[in-house]
Each structure stands twice: as structure tokens, then as C-alpha cells.
Amino acid sequence: MNDILLIGGGGHCKSVIDTLENADEFNIIGILDQPEKIGSKVNGIEIIGIDEDLPSYFEQGVQYAFITIGSVGNVSFRKSLYEYAKTIGYRFPTIIDKSAIISSNTELHEGCFIGKGAILNTNVSIGINSIINTGTIIEHDCTIGEFCHIAPGSTLSGSVQVGHHTHIGTNSTIIQNINIGHNSLIGAGSVVINNIENHKKAYGNPCKVVDSH
Ligand SMILES: CC(=O)SCCNC(=O)CCNC(=O)[C@H](O)C(C)(C)COP(=O)(O)OP(=O)(O)OC[C@H]1O[C@@H](n2cnc3c(N)ncnc32)[C@H](O)[C@@H]1OP(=O)(O)O
């Protein structure tokens, strides 16, 4: 088994640990977080250092890392940590919970997390470092950009396009052929029936743009 380092010890980290521990693919050597948290544990896994320790663990032979910080609408921290770790040379696996159902011709890019019970139908593409959270349904021919978070229980109907860095709130429903832009935030429980442009905050049923984001 390859060693892996987790970056960020919050709630999302617990989900990733649970999935990894049920998979027997990686040996989690520890978590990096804030200095004051060193020595404490997340789901039994110790916080062993801070982000600045990434080069030293790489020199010690750890090749794999995973960003375990969640996000609701602001991915800049997740993204900067990913880019920093990539510069050092870390590799980012795709982590898929064993309960997820994924079509064989789905394209998953590095660093994605596919949570419990998610269903990804045929011809789906998920960009790097995106989170497809618990119980989400991504229907045929959908494309999800980089660093997105499709929050638990959402349903994306056929041929939906989601731009980079966009958050789809918990339990949202998006009808077929909708385009949602980059850096947008869709509130929880939204029913999206019209395209949403880049950099918009939108929510409700029907989902309406309420602000820039
Ligand atoms: C495993 C996990 O936990 S992953 C985490 C997943 N979490 C999510 O997806 C949460 C997504 N976040 C939301 O839906 C939030 O409510 C946000 C981001 C839309 C809030 O946006 P804000 O602009 O900060 O809204 P704020 O809380 O100030 O509320 C403003 C108004 O919008 C309403 N509102 C807020 N969110 C929603 C929503 N999702 N749907 C409908 N109305 C909403 C509020 O009721 C309020 O109405 P009022 O002015 O009549 O009182």
C-alpha cells in the first residue's frame, strides 16, 4: 500500500478517512493542519504537522497527498494547497467510496473525491479536485469543472455543465441542459431551471440570481 498524507483535518477529512479505511488502497500516515492541533486526532488519525511540512514528508518518500478541506463557495485555500503540493511533486489519487456507482466511461481527474452512494452515469467528466459528495446523482453527459463541490443529495440531470470553482448546495436539483458558470454559488435546496452565469450567487425554487459572488 502507498502512503498518503491528508491536508486539512475538518469534517470533510472524516469522510475521506472513512472511505480510505474501507478501501485498503492507501496507508494514511497522518494529517497536516494548524500548529495548535498537532498531536490531536481526527477519526483516529493523528495530525502530524502543518502545510509547511509537505516538502519534508515528500523528501522522506511520501508520494501521495489529498486535499481534505471542504468548501462552500470559496475554493481558494483548497486550490492554493493543491498547487503548492503539486509543485513539490505530490501525486493526487482519485478517491471513490466503495458504495458509489460509477459508469465505466466516466472521466475522473486527479484529486476528485466521490462520496458514499454517489451515482455517476455515462459520459460524465469530473475536473481535478472536485468533491462529489454523499448521495449525489450526476446524470449522463454532465461535465463538472475543477475544484467544484457538488454537495450532498444534489441531482444534476442530463447534459448539465458546471464551471470551475462552483458550489452546488446540498439537495439542489438542476434540470437537463443547464449551464452553470465558473465561481458561482448555488444555495441549498435550489431548483435550477435557467442557466447561471459566472460569479453569481443564486438560490431558491425556481433558482434566481441574488448577488455577485
Ligand atoms: C457535508 C456538508 O456539510 S457539505 C456543506 C453543504 N452546504 C451547503 O451546500 C450550503 C449552501 N449554502 C447556502 O445555501 C447558504 O444559505 C447561502 C450560501 C446561499 C447563504 O447565502 P447568504 O447570502 O449568506 O444568505 P443569508 O444567510 O444572509 O440569507 C439571506 C436571505 O436568503 C435566504 N436564503 C439563504 N439561503 C437560501 C437557500 N439556500 N434557499 C432559499 N433562500 C435562502 C435567507 O432565508 C435570507 O432570506 P431573508 O432575507 O428573507 O431573511
Side-chain angles (χ1 to χ4, degrees), residues 11-12 15 70-73 131 133-134 149-152 154 167-172 185-190 201-205 210-211 213:
H12 183 56
S15 299
S71 62
V72 177
I131 301 167
N133 225 326
T134 312
H149 181 179
I150 314 298
S154 295
H167 180 91
I168 307 294
T170 297
N171 202 32
S172 291
L185 168 57
I186 307 298
S190 297
K201 185 196 288 184
Y203 50 70
N205 178 7
V210 292
D211 209 348
H213 176 67

PDB file of all heavy atoms in Angstrom, residues 11-12 15 70-73 131 133-134 149-152 154 167-172 185-190 201-205 210-211 213, ligand 1:
ATOM      1  N   GLY A  11     -14.310  18.422   8.920  1.00  0.00           N
ATOM      2  CA  GLY A  11     -15.374  17.444   8.689  1.00  0.00           C
ATOM      3  C   GLY A  11     -15.182  16.639   7.412  1.00  0.00           C
ATOM      4  O   GLY A  11     -15.409  15.425   7.383  1.00  0.00           O
ATOM      5  N   HIS A  12     -14.767  17.316   6.340  1.00  0.00           N
ATOM      6  CA  HIS A  12     -14.598  16.599   5.076  1.00  0.00           C
ATOM      7  C   HIS A  12     -13.499  15.543   5.194  1.00  0.00           C
ATOM      8  O   HIS A  12     -13.581  14.459   4.593  1.00  0.00           O
ATOM      9  CB  HIS A  12     -14.285  17.592   3.950  1.00  0.00           C
ATOM     10  CG  HIS A  12     -14.166  16.943   2.613  1.00  0.00           C
ATOM     11  ND1 HIS A  12     -15.166  16.176   2.057  1.00  0.00           N
ATOM     12  CD2 HIS A  12     -13.128  16.909   1.714  1.00  0.00           C
ATOM     13  CE1 HIS A  12     -14.774  15.713   0.884  1.00  0.00           C
ATOM     14  NE2 HIS A  12     -13.546  16.140   0.659  1.00  0.00           N
ATOM     15  N   SER A  15     -14.846  12.249   6.282  1.00  0.00           N
ATOM     16  CA  SER A  15     -15.470  11.475   5.193  1.00  0.00           C
ATOM     17  C   SER A  15     -14.413  10.764   4.365  1.00  0.00           C
ATOM     18  O   SER A  15     -14.574   9.591   3.998  1.00  0.00           O
ATOM     19  CB  SER A  15     -16.273  12.402   4.273  1.00  0.00           C
ATOM     20  OG  SER A  15     -17.298  13.031   4.972  1.00  0.00           O
ATOM     21  N   GLY A  70     -12.942  20.862   3.044  1.00  0.00           N
ATOM     22  CA  GLY A  70     -14.181  21.064   2.301  1.00  0.00           C
ATOM     23  C   GLY A  70     -14.293  22.526   1.883  1.00  0.00           C
ATOM     24  O   GLY A  70     -13.377  23.328   2.113  1.00  0.00           O
ATOM     25  N   SER A  71     -15.396  22.898   1.265  1.00  0.00           N
ATOM     26  CA  SER A  71     -15.592  24.306   0.903  1.00  0.00           C
ATOM     27  C   SER A  71     -17.057  24.537   0.609  1.00  0.00           C
ATOM     28  O   SER A  71     -17.769  23.638   0.177  1.00  0.00           O
ATOM     29  CB  SER A  71     -14.775  24.666  -0.345  1.00  0.00           C
ATOM     30  OG  SER A  71     -15.194  23.900  -1.447  1.00  0.00           O
ATOM     31  N   VAL A  72     -17.511  25.761   0.910  1.00  0.00           N
ATOM     32  CA  VAL A  72     -18.846  26.193   0.464  1.00  0.00           C
ATOM     33  C   VAL A  72     -18.644  27.533  -0.231  1.00  0.00           C
ATOM     34  O   VAL A  72     -18.696  28.589   0.383  1.00  0.00           O
ATOM     35  CB  VAL A  72     -19.840  26.312   1.630  1.00  0.00           C
ATOM     36  CG1 VAL A  72     -21.193  26.833   1.129  1.00  0.00           C
ATOM     37  CG2 VAL A  72     -20.042  24.968   2.325  1.00  0.00           C
ATOM     38  N   GLY A  73     -18.333  27.475  -1.498  1.00  0.00           N
ATOM     39  CA  GLY A  73     -18.286  28.695  -2.290  1.00  0.00           C
ATOM     40  C   GLY A  73     -16.945  29.398  -2.367  1.00  0.00           C
ATOM     41  O   GLY A  73     -16.802  30.327  -3.147  1.00  0.00           O
ATOM     42  N   ILE A 131     -15.280  17.731  -5.481  1.00  0.00           N
ATOM     43  CA  ILE A 131     -15.924  16.866  -4.488  1.00  0.00           C
ATOM     44  C   ILE A 131     -17.327  16.540  -4.987  1.00  0.00           C
ATOM     45  O   ILE A 131     -18.137  17.452  -5.219  1.00  0.00           O
ATOM     46  CB  ILE A 131     -16.030  17.573  -3.121  1.00  0.00           C
ATOM     47  CG1 ILE A 131     -14.653  17.976  -2.597  1.00  0.00           C
ATOM     48  CG2 ILE A 131     -16.770  16.690  -2.115  1.00  0.00           C
ATOM     49  CD1 ILE A 131     -14.702  18.948  -1.412  1.00  0.00           C
ATOM     50  N   ASN A 133     -20.240  14.860  -3.466  1.00  0.00           N
ATOM     51  CA  ASN A 133     -20.494  14.435  -2.090  1.00  0.00           C
ATOM     52  C   ASN A 133     -21.610  13.387  -1.983  1.00  0.00           C
ATOM     53  O   ASN A 133     -22.237  13.018  -2.980  1.00  0.00           O
ATOM     54  CB  ASN A 133     -20.758  15.672  -1.221  1.00  0.00           C
ATOM     55  CG  ASN A 133     -20.007  15.601   0.102  1.00  0.00           C
ATOM     56  OD1 ASN A 133     -19.822  14.518   0.654  1.00  0.00           O
ATOM     57  ND2 ASN A 133     -19.572  16.731   0.592  1.00  0.00           N
ATOM     58  N   THR A 134     -21.856  12.980  -0.757  1.00  0.00           N
ATOM     59  CA  THR A 134     -22.749  11.857  -0.444  1.00  0.00           C
ATOM     60  C   THR A 134     -24.083  11.917  -1.186  1.00  0.00           C
ATOM     61  O   THR A 134     -24.783  12.936  -1.156  1.00  0.00           O
ATOM     62  CB  THR A 134     -23.048  11.867   1.074  1.00  0.00           C
ATOM     63  OG1 THR A 134     -21.824  12.018   1.780  1.00  0.00           O
ATOM     64  CG2 THR A 134     -23.741  10.598   1.510  1.00  0.00           C
ATOM     65  N   HIS A 149     -17.653  21.726  -5.826  1.00  0.00           N
ATOM     66  CA  HIS A 149     -18.230  20.895  -4.762  1.00  0.00           C
ATOM     67  C   HIS A 149     -19.705  20.715  -5.075  1.00  0.00           C
ATOM     68  O   HIS A 149     -20.462  21.697  -5.086  1.00  0.00           O
ATOM     69  CB  HIS A 149     -18.037  21.578  -3.403  1.00  0.00           C
ATOM     70  CG  HIS A 149     -18.579  20.790  -2.246  1.00  0.00           C
ATOM     71  ND1 HIS A 149     -18.471  21.233  -0.942  1.00  0.00           N
ATOM     72  CD2 HIS A 149     -19.204  19.597  -2.172  1.00  0.00           C
ATOM     73  CE1 HIS A 149     -19.040  20.350  -0.138  1.00  0.00           C
ATOM     74  NE2 HIS A 149     -19.495  19.338  -0.865  1.00  0.00           N
ATOM     75  N   ILE A 150     -20.084  19.490  -5.365  1.00  0.00           N
ATOM     76  CA  ILE A 150     -21.496  19.178  -5.550  1.00  0.00           C
ATOM     77  C   ILE A 150     -21.927  18.566  -4.221  1.00  0.00           C
ATOM     78  O   ILE A 150     -21.563  17.429  -3.887  1.00  0.00           O
ATOM     79  CB  ILE A 150     -21.719  18.192  -6.736  1.00  0.00           C
ATOM     80  CG1 ILE A 150     -20.893  18.615  -7.982  1.00  0.00           C
ATOM     81  CG2 ILE A 150     -23.212  18.095  -7.042  1.00  0.00           C
ATOM     82  CD1 ILE A 150     -21.225  19.953  -8.583  1.00  0.00           C
ATOM     83  N   ALA A 151     -22.653  19.354  -3.436  1.00  0.00           N
ATOM     84  CA  ALA A 151     -22.922  18.997  -2.043  1.00  0.00           C
ATOM     85  C   ALA A 151     -23.972  17.882  -1.948  1.00  0.00           C
ATOM     86  O   ALA A 151     -24.664  17.587  -2.928  1.00  0.00           O
ATOM     87  CB  ALA A 151     -23.332  20.243  -1.271  1.00  0.00           C
ATOM     88  N   PRO A 152     -24.065  17.253  -0.750  1.00  0.00           N
ATOM     89  CA  PRO A 152     -24.852  16.018  -0.614  1.00  0.00           C
ATOM     90  C   PRO A 152     -26.273  16.104  -1.161  1.00  0.00           C
ATOM     91  O   PRO A 152     -26.972  17.096  -0.995  1.00  0.00           O
ATOM     92  CB  PRO A 152     -24.869  15.806   0.906  1.00  0.00           C
ATOM     93  CG  PRO A 152     -23.608  16.426   1.378  1.00  0.00           C
ATOM     94  CD  PRO A 152     -23.396  17.626   0.498  1.00  0.00           C
ATOM     95  N   SER A 154     -27.546  16.255  -4.119  1.00  0.00           N
ATOM     96  CA  SER A 154     -27.928  17.036  -5.307  1.00  0.00           C
ATOM     97  C   SER A 154     -28.160  16.108  -6.492  1.00  0.00           C
ATOM     98  O   SER A 154     -27.588  15.018  -6.567  1.00  0.00           O
ATOM     99  CB  SER A 154     -26.832  18.044  -5.650  1.00  0.00           C
ATOM    100  OG  SER A 154     -26.735  18.992  -4.611  1.00  0.00           O
ATOM    101  N   HIS A 167     -19.915  25.923  -6.475  1.00  0.00           N
ATOM    102  CA  HIS A 167     -20.536  25.120  -5.414  1.00  0.00           C
ATOM    103  C   HIS A 167     -22.017  24.923  -5.732  1.00  0.00           C
ATOM    104  O   HIS A 167     -22.741  25.897  -5.972  1.00  0.00           O
ATOM    105  CB  HIS A 167     -20.397  25.836  -4.065  1.00  0.00           C
ATOM    106  CG  HIS A 167     -21.009  25.084  -2.931  1.00  0.00           C
ATOM    107  ND1 HIS A 167     -20.293  24.177  -2.175  1.00  0.00           N
ATOM    108  CD2 HIS A 167     -22.263  25.081  -2.424  1.00  0.00           C
ATOM    109  CE1 HIS A 167     -21.088  23.648  -1.255  1.00  0.00           C
ATOM    110  NE2 HIS A 167     -22.290  24.174  -1.382  1.00  0.00           N
ATOM    111  N   ILE A 168     -22.446  23.679  -5.699  1.00  0.00           N
ATOM    112  CA  ILE A 168     -23.875  23.371  -5.841  1.00  0.00           C
ATOM    113  C   ILE A 168     -24.343  22.933  -4.455  1.00  0.00           C
ATOM    114  O   ILE A 168     -23.897  21.912  -3.927  1.00  0.00           O
ATOM    115  CB  ILE A 168     -24.110  22.235  -6.874  1.00  0.00           C
ATOM    116  CG1 ILE A 168     -23.426  22.550  -8.231  1.00  0.00           C
ATOM    117  CG2 ILE A 168     -25.603  21.967  -7.036  1.00  0.00           C
ATOM    118  CD1 ILE A 168     -23.982  23.714  -8.998  1.00  0.00           C
ATOM    119  N   GLY A 169     -25.238  23.728  -3.841  1.00  0.00           N
ATOM    120  CA  GLY A 169     -25.640  23.493  -2.450  1.00  0.00           C
ATOM    121  C   GLY A 169     -26.395  22.189  -2.248  1.00  0.00           C
ATOM    122  O   GLY A 169     -27.039  21.667  -3.170  1.00  0.00           O
ATOM    123  N   THR A 170     -26.349  21.730  -1.022  1.00  0.00           N
ATOM    124  CA  THR A 170     -26.994  20.477  -0.628  1.00  0.00           C
ATOM    125  C   THR A 170     -28.409  20.363  -1.181  1.00  0.00           C
ATOM    126  O   THR A 170     -29.201  21.295  -1.094  1.00  0.00           O
ATOM    127  CB  THR A 170     -27.054  20.416   0.917  1.00  0.00           C
ATOM    128  OG1 THR A 170     -25.722  20.394   1.415  1.00  0.00           O
ATOM    129  CG2 THR A 170     -27.786  19.197   1.408  1.00  0.00           C
ATOM    130  N   ASN A 171     -28.686  19.197  -1.739  1.00  0.00           N
ATOM    131  CA  ASN A 171     -30.053  18.850  -2.173  1.00  0.00           C
ATOM    132  C   ASN A 171     -30.598  19.752  -3.284  1.00  0.00           C
ATOM    133  O   ASN A 171     -31.804  19.947  -3.380  1.00  0.00           O
ATOM    134  CB  ASN A 171     -31.002  18.862  -0.960  1.00  0.00           C
ATOM    135  CG  ASN A 171     -32.226  18.020  -1.216  1.00  0.00           C
ATOM    136  OD1 ASN A 171     -32.167  17.030  -1.929  1.00  0.00           O
ATOM    137  ND2 ASN A 171     -33.351  18.427  -0.655  1.00  0.00           N
ATOM    138  N   SER A 172     -29.707  20.278  -4.099  1.00  0.00           N
ATOM    139  CA  SER A 172     -30.174  21.056  -5.249  1.00  0.00           C
ATOM    140  C   SER A 172     -30.577  20.126  -6.383  1.00  0.00           C
ATOM    141  O   SER A 172     -30.094  18.999  -6.488  1.00  0.00           O
ATOM    142  CB  SER A 172     -29.071  21.991  -5.747  1.00  0.00           C
ATOM    143  OG  SER A 172     -28.856  23.008  -4.804  1.00  0.00           O
ATOM    144  N   LEU A 185     -22.135  30.161  -6.860  1.00  0.00           N
ATOM    145  CA  LEU A 185     -22.585  29.506  -5.623  1.00  0.00           C
ATOM    146  C   LEU A 185     -24.094  29.328  -5.704  1.00  0.00           C
ATOM    147  O   LEU A 185     -24.841  30.309  -5.773  1.00  0.00           O
ATOM    148  CB  LEU A 185     -22.211  30.376  -4.416  1.00  0.00           C
ATOM    149  CG  LEU A 185     -22.809  30.032  -3.056  1.00  0.00           C
ATOM    150  CD1 LEU A 185     -22.483  28.596  -2.642  1.00  0.00           C
ATOM    151  CD2 LEU A 185     -22.293  30.990  -1.992  1.00  0.00           C
ATOM    152  N   ILE A 186     -24.524  28.091  -5.727  1.00  0.00           N
ATOM    153  CA  ILE A 186     -25.956  27.781  -5.760  1.00  0.00           C
ATOM    154  C   ILE A 186     -26.360  27.350  -4.347  1.00  0.00           C
ATOM    155  O   ILE A 186     -25.769  26.414  -3.783  1.00  0.00           O
ATOM    156  CB  ILE A 186     -26.250  26.636  -6.773  1.00  0.00           C
ATOM    157  CG1 ILE A 186     -25.669  26.956  -8.167  1.00  0.00           C
ATOM    158  CG2 ILE A 186     -27.749  26.341  -6.825  1.00  0.00           C
ATOM    159  CD1 ILE A 186     -26.229  28.185  -8.841  1.00  0.00           C
ATOM    160  N   GLY A 187     -27.337  28.029  -3.770  1.00  0.00           N
ATOM    161  CA  GLY A 187     -27.752  27.747  -2.394  1.00  0.00           C
ATOM    162  C   GLY A 187     -28.409  26.383  -2.239  1.00  0.00           C
ATOM    163  O   GLY A 187     -28.940  25.807  -3.211  1.00  0.00           O
ATOM    164  N   ALA A 188     -28.418  25.915  -1.009  1.00  0.00           N
ATOM    165  CA  ALA A 188     -29.005  24.604  -0.709  1.00  0.00           C
ATOM    166  C   ALA A 188     -30.468  24.550  -1.142  1.00  0.00           C
ATOM    167  O   ALA A 188     -31.203  25.530  -1.036  1.00  0.00           O
ATOM    168  CB  ALA A 188     -28.886  24.343   0.784  1.00  0.00           C
ATOM    169  N   GLY A 189     -30.885  23.421  -1.644  1.00  0.00           N
ATOM    170  CA  GLY A 189     -32.283  23.189  -1.983  1.00  0.00           C
ATOM    171  C   GLY A 189     -32.786  23.920  -3.206  1.00  0.00           C
ATOM    172  O   GLY A 189     -33.996  24.007  -3.422  1.00  0.00           O
ATOM    173  N   SER A 190     -31.868  24.430  -4.007  1.00  0.00           N
ATOM    174  CA  SER A 190     -32.295  25.194  -5.191  1.00  0.00           C
ATOM    175  C   SER A 190     -32.807  24.269  -6.285  1.00  0.00           C
ATOM    176  O   SER A 190     -32.374  23.122  -6.414  1.00  0.00           O
ATOM    177  CB  SER A 190     -31.122  26.011  -5.742  1.00  0.00           C
ATOM    178  OG  SER A 190     -30.709  26.963  -4.790  1.00  0.00           O
ATOM    179  N   LYS A 201     -24.200  34.384  -7.176  1.00  0.00           N
ATOM    180  CA  LYS A 201     -24.831  33.654  -6.074  1.00  0.00           C
ATOM    181  C   LYS A 201     -26.310  33.542  -6.415  1.00  0.00           C
ATOM    182  O   LYS A 201     -26.950  34.550  -6.765  1.00  0.00           O
ATOM    183  CB  LYS A 201     -24.667  34.403  -4.748  1.00  0.00           C
ATOM    184  CG  LYS A 201     -25.206  33.627  -3.555  1.00  0.00           C
ATOM    185  CD  LYS A 201     -25.391  34.517  -2.333  1.00  0.00           C
ATOM    186  CE  LYS A 201     -24.056  34.895  -1.743  1.00  0.00           C
ATOM    187  NZ  LYS A 201     -24.244  35.698  -0.494  1.00  0.00           N
ATOM    188  N   ALA A 202     -26.843  32.345  -6.325  1.00  0.00           N
ATOM    189  CA  ALA A 202     -28.233  32.128  -6.724  1.00  0.00           C
ATOM    190  C   ALA A 202     -28.835  31.068  -5.814  1.00  0.00           C
ATOM    191  O   ALA A 202     -28.142  30.148  -5.381  1.00  0.00           O
ATOM    192  CB  ALA A 202     -28.283  31.661  -8.187  1.00  0.00           C
ATOM    193  N   TYR A 203     -30.117  31.230  -5.515  1.00  0.00           N
ATOM    194  CA  TYR A 203     -30.791  30.171  -4.760  1.00  0.00           C
ATOM    195  C   TYR A 203     -32.299  30.266  -4.923  1.00  0.00           C
ATOM    196  O   TYR A 203     -32.831  31.244  -5.462  1.00  0.00           O
ATOM    197  CB  TYR A 203     -30.410  30.149  -3.282  1.00  0.00           C
ATOM    198  CG  TYR A 203     -30.483  31.459  -2.538  1.00  0.00           C
ATOM    199  CD1 TYR A 203     -31.700  32.068  -2.251  1.00  0.00           C
ATOM    200  CD2 TYR A 203     -29.323  32.082  -2.106  1.00  0.00           C
ATOM    201  CE1 TYR A 203     -31.750  33.257  -1.543  1.00  0.00           C
ATOM    202  CE2 TYR A 203     -29.352  33.274  -1.399  1.00  0.00           C
ATOM    203  CZ  TYR A 203     -30.574  33.855  -1.120  1.00  0.00           C
ATOM    204  OH  TYR A 203     -30.621  35.032  -0.431  1.00  0.00           O
ATOM    205  N   GLY A 204     -32.973  29.237  -4.403  1.00  0.00           N
ATOM    206  CA  GLY A 204     -34.429  29.232  -4.383  1.00  0.00           C
ATOM    207  C   GLY A 204     -35.039  28.299  -5.416  1.00  0.00           C
ATOM    208  O   GLY A 204     -34.361  27.687  -6.237  1.00  0.00           O
ATOM    209  N   ASN A 205     -36.364  28.193  -5.344  1.00  0.00           N
ATOM    210  CA  ASN A 205     -37.152  27.393  -6.283  1.00  0.00           C
ATOM    211  C   ASN A 205     -38.261  28.281  -6.851  1.00  0.00           C
ATOM    212  O   ASN A 205     -39.211  28.591  -6.127  1.00  0.00           O
ATOM    213  CB  ASN A 205     -37.742  26.165  -5.574  1.00  0.00           C
ATOM    214  CG  ASN A 205     -38.608  25.345  -6.497  1.00  0.00           C
ATOM    215  OD1 ASN A 205     -38.680  25.613  -7.704  1.00  0.00           O
ATOM    216  ND2 ASN A 205     -39.277  24.352  -5.942  1.00  0.00           N
ATOM    217  N   VAL A 210     -29.138  36.245  -6.919  1.00  0.00           N
ATOM    218  CA  VAL A 210     -29.409  37.276  -5.910  1.00  0.00           C
ATOM    219  C   VAL A 210     -28.238  38.246  -5.759  1.00  0.00           C
ATOM    220  O   VAL A 210     -28.398  39.328  -5.209  1.00  0.00           O
ATOM    221  CB  VAL A 210     -29.721  36.644  -4.525  1.00  0.00           C
ATOM    222  CG1 VAL A 210     -31.048  35.915  -4.558  1.00  0.00           C
ATOM    223  CG2 VAL A 210     -28.600  35.715  -4.063  1.00  0.00           C
ATOM    224  N   ASP A 211     -27.062  37.846  -6.250  1.00  0.00           N
ATOM    225  CA  ASP A 211     -25.886  38.672  -5.996  1.00  0.00           C
ATOM    226  C   ASP A 211     -24.744  38.198  -6.888  1.00  0.00           C
ATOM    227  O   ASP A 211     -24.814  37.129  -7.497  1.00  0.00           O
ATOM    228  CB  ASP A 211     -25.472  38.513  -4.519  1.00  0.00           C
ATOM    229  CG  ASP A 211     -24.786  39.751  -3.966  1.00  0.00           C
ATOM    230  OD1 ASP A 211     -24.422  40.632  -4.766  1.00  0.00           O
ATOM    231  OD2 ASP A 211     -24.621  39.811  -2.737  1.00  0.00           O
ATOM    232  N   HIS A 213     -20.792  36.900  -6.897  1.00  0.00           N
ATOM    233  CA  HIS A 213     -20.066  36.045  -5.945  1.00  0.00           C
ATOM    234  C   HIS A 213     -18.587  36.014  -6.304  1.00  0.00           C
ATOM    235  O   HIS A 213     -18.229  35.881  -7.452  1.00  0.00           O
ATOM    236  CB  HIS A 213     -20.660  34.623  -5.984  1.00  0.00           C
ATOM    237  CG  HIS A 213     -19.924  33.670  -5.124  1.00  0.00           C
ATOM    238  ND1 HIS A 213     -19.920  33.765  -3.744  1.00  0.00           N
ATOM    239  CD2 HIS A 213     -19.140  32.606  -5.427  1.00  0.00           C
ATOM    240  CE1 HIS A 213     -19.179  32.784  -3.244  1.00  0.00           C
ATOM    241  NE2 HIS A 213     -18.692  32.085  -4.237  1.00  0.00           N
TER     242      HIS A 213
HETATM  243  C1  LIG B   1     -21.160  17.534   4.142  1.00  0.00           C
HETATM  244  C2  LIG B   1     -21.508  19.032   4.148  1.00  0.00           C
HETATM  245  O1  LIG B   1     -21.964  19.571   5.101  1.00  0.00           O
HETATM  246  S1  LIG B   1     -21.140  19.918   2.723  1.00  0.00           S
HETATM  247  C3  LIG B   1     -21.851  21.537   3.001  1.00  0.00           C
HETATM  248  C4  LIG B   1     -23.007  21.796   2.085  1.00  0.00           C
HETATM  249  N1  LIG B   1     -23.628  23.098   2.428  1.00  0.00           N
HETATM  250  C5  LIG B   1     -24.253  23.825   1.520  1.00  0.00           C
HETATM  251  O2  LIG B   1     -24.357  23.452   0.366  1.00  0.00           O
HETATM  252  C6  LIG B   1     -24.754  25.159   1.997  1.00  0.00           C
HETATM  253  C7  LIG B   1     -25.015  26.131   0.871  1.00  0.00           C
HETATM  254  N2  LIG B   1     -25.258  27.441   1.446  1.00  0.00           N
HETATM  255  C8  LIG B   1     -26.455  28.071   1.425  1.00  0.00           C
HETATM  256  O3  LIG B   1     -27.459  27.584   0.887  1.00  0.00           O
HETATM  257  C9  LIG B   1     -26.472  29.403   2.154  1.00  0.00           C
HETATM  258  O4  LIG B   1     -27.740  29.580   2.737  1.00  0.00           O
HETATM  259  C10 LIG B   1     -26.108  30.574   1.218  1.00  0.00           C
HETATM  260  C11 LIG B   1     -24.628  30.489   0.814  1.00  0.00           C
HETATM  261  C12 LIG B   1     -26.935  30.608  -0.034  1.00  0.00           C
HETATM  262  C13 LIG B   1     -26.307  31.806   2.067  1.00  0.00           C
HETATM  263  O5  LIG B   1     -26.133  32.994   1.323  1.00  0.00           O
HETATM  264  P1  LIG B   1     -26.233  34.411   2.084  1.00  0.00           P
HETATM  265  O6  LIG B   1     -26.248  35.468   1.056  1.00  0.00           O
HETATM  266  O7  LIG B   1     -25.154  34.468   3.101  1.00  0.00           O
HETATM  267  O8  LIG B   1     -27.650  34.315   2.696  1.00  0.00           O
HETATM  268  P2  LIG B   1     -28.152  34.717   4.161  1.00  0.00           P
HETATM  269  O9  LIG B   1     -27.903  33.578   5.079  1.00  0.00           O
HETATM  270  O10 LIG B   1     -27.599  36.077   4.536  1.00  0.00           O
HETATM  271  O11 LIG B   1     -29.682  34.846   3.874  1.00  0.00           O
HETATM  272  C14 LIG B   1     -30.193  35.880   3.031  1.00  0.00           C
HETATM  273  C15 LIG B   1     -31.590  35.519   2.618  1.00  0.00           C
HETATM  274  O12 LIG B   1     -31.533  34.406   1.711  1.00  0.00           O
HETATM  275  C16 LIG B   1     -32.321  33.336   2.198  1.00  0.00           C
HETATM  276  N3  LIG B   1     -31.608  32.098   1.847  1.00  0.00           N
HETATM  277  C17 LIG B   1     -30.353  31.733   2.191  1.00  0.00           C
HETATM  278  N4  LIG B   1     -30.035  30.550   1.664  1.00  0.00           N
HETATM  279  C18 LIG B   1     -31.115  30.148   0.968  1.00  0.00           C
HETATM  280  C19 LIG B   1     -31.390  28.991   0.209  1.00  0.00           C
HETATM  281  N5  LIG B   1     -30.480  28.015   0.049  1.00  0.00           N
HETATM  282  N6  LIG B   1     -32.611  28.905  -0.388  1.00  0.00           N
HETATM  283  C20 LIG B   1     -33.547  29.887  -0.246  1.00  0.00           C
HETATM  284  N7  LIG B   1     -33.326  31.010   0.475  1.00  0.00           N
HETATM  285  C21 LIG B   1     -32.123  31.135   1.074  1.00  0.00           C
HETATM  286  C22 LIG B   1     -32.413  33.567   3.683  1.00  0.00           C
HETATM  287  O13 LIG B   1     -33.534  32.945   4.217  1.00  0.00           O
HETATM  288  C23 LIG B   1     -32.468  35.070   3.751  1.00  0.00           C
HETATM  289  O14 LIG B   1     -33.782  35.473   3.445  1.00  0.00           O
HETATM  290  P3  LIG B   1     -34.408  36.815   4.086  1.00  0.00           P
HETATM  291  O15 LIG B   1     -33.543  37.940   3.593  1.00  0.00           O
HETATM  292  O16 LIG B   1     -35.799  36.846   3.517  1.00  0.00           O
HETATM  293  O17 LIG B   1     -34.335  36.645   5.563  1.00  0.00           O
END
